[in-house]
């Protein structure tokens, strides 16, 4: 429950949302479109992870689409030299924007949930960074957008060495996508139901 509150109620980059301390989640199937701009084709790895999320998180449907217009989550796989230009052009749409981080995700959310997300993943700086960024940015793009150094069993912690979808993070995502947790809820509004939601998530996660 502590991990849920630390990751769901907040933003790593707070300027990106007008209401950062409310629940953010998709309320419809998440359709991913993969832009593989890197010299190495990473599409199969991204596709496998997208399918894994759909299997491990109750209440969430994920799929890959070949129709960019129908996608609500775009993933850009880039080499480092492409990172800043892609973020400025395709994510910020601002040629002068400052580009933070080693990889990133941007989420557009409203009162009725997340409208769309876009992640930029660096491919050519080693397998650990690629897999770490893939897992962290895509999961954050689904709603738990804050990092916290206290979460030792989580990718939502920039100092941890995890590069997979940990059991701890599966619990957080299963709690978030429980239908009793609704977009726009505050921390106070989730207090009474969170213990029940956590118990039920624990039953689902193996």
């Amino acid at each position: 429950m502590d991990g849920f509150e630390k990751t769901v109620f907040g933003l790593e980059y707070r300027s990106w949302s007008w209401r950062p301390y409310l629940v953010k989640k998709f309320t419809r199937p998440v359709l991913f479109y993969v832009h593989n701009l890197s010299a190495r084709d990473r599409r199969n790895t991204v596709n496998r992870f997208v399918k894994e999320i759909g299997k491990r998180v109750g209440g969430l449907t994920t799929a890959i689409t070949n129709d960019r217009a129908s996608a609500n989550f775009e993933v850009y796989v880039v080499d480092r030299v492409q990172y800043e230009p892609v973020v400025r052009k395709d994510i910020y749409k601002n040629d002068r924007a400052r580009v933070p981080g080693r990889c990133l995700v941007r989420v557009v959310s409203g009162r009725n949930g997340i409208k769309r997300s876009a992640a930029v993943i660096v491919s050519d700086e080693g397998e650990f960074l690629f897999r770490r960024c893939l897992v962290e940015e895509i999961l954050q793009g689904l709603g738990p957008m804050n990092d916290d150094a206290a979460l030792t069993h989580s990718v939502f912690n920039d100092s941890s060495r995890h590069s997979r979808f940990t059991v701890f993070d599966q619990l957080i995502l299963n709690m978030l996508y429980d239908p009793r947790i609704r977009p726009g809820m505050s921390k106070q509004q989730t207090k009474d139901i969170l213990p029940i939601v956590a118990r039920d998530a624990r039953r689902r996660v193996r």
Side-chain angles (χ1 to χ4, degrees), residues 32-49:
F32 289 80
Y33 183 88
V34 182
H35 305 260
N36 195 94
L37 308 178
S38 168
R40 180 172 176 181
D41 191 344
R42 299 281 198 174
R43 282 174 292 191
N44 286 342
T45 304
V46 177
N47 292 357
R48 282 196 300 271
F49 183 55

Side-chain angles (χ1 to χ4, degrees), residues 25-36:
K25 62 187 285 188
F26 282 94
T27 55
R28 54 196 175 97
V30 186
L31 298 179
F32 289 80
Y33 183 88
V34 182
H35 305 260
N36 195 94

Side-chain angles (χ1 to χ4, degrees), residues 49-64:
F49 183 55
V50 167
K51 291 177 182 176
E52 179 185 357
I53 295 169
K55 290 177 181 177
R56 295 187 182 276
V57 180
L60 176 65
T61 300
T62 63
I64 298 288

Side-chain angles (χ1 to χ4, degrees), residues 86-98:
V86 167
V87 171
R88 290 191 176 110
K89 176 178 179 288
D90 296 298
I91 308 302
Y92 291 138
K93 305 187 189 313
N94 179 351
D95 291 340
R96 298 180 181 179
R98 188 180 71 84

Side-chain angles (χ1 to χ4, degrees), residues 58-75:
L60 176 65
T61 300
T62 63
I64 298 288
T65 180
N66 292 321
D67 176 18
R68 182 182 180 184
S70 68
N72 51 10
F73 199 136
E74 296 186 62
V75 179

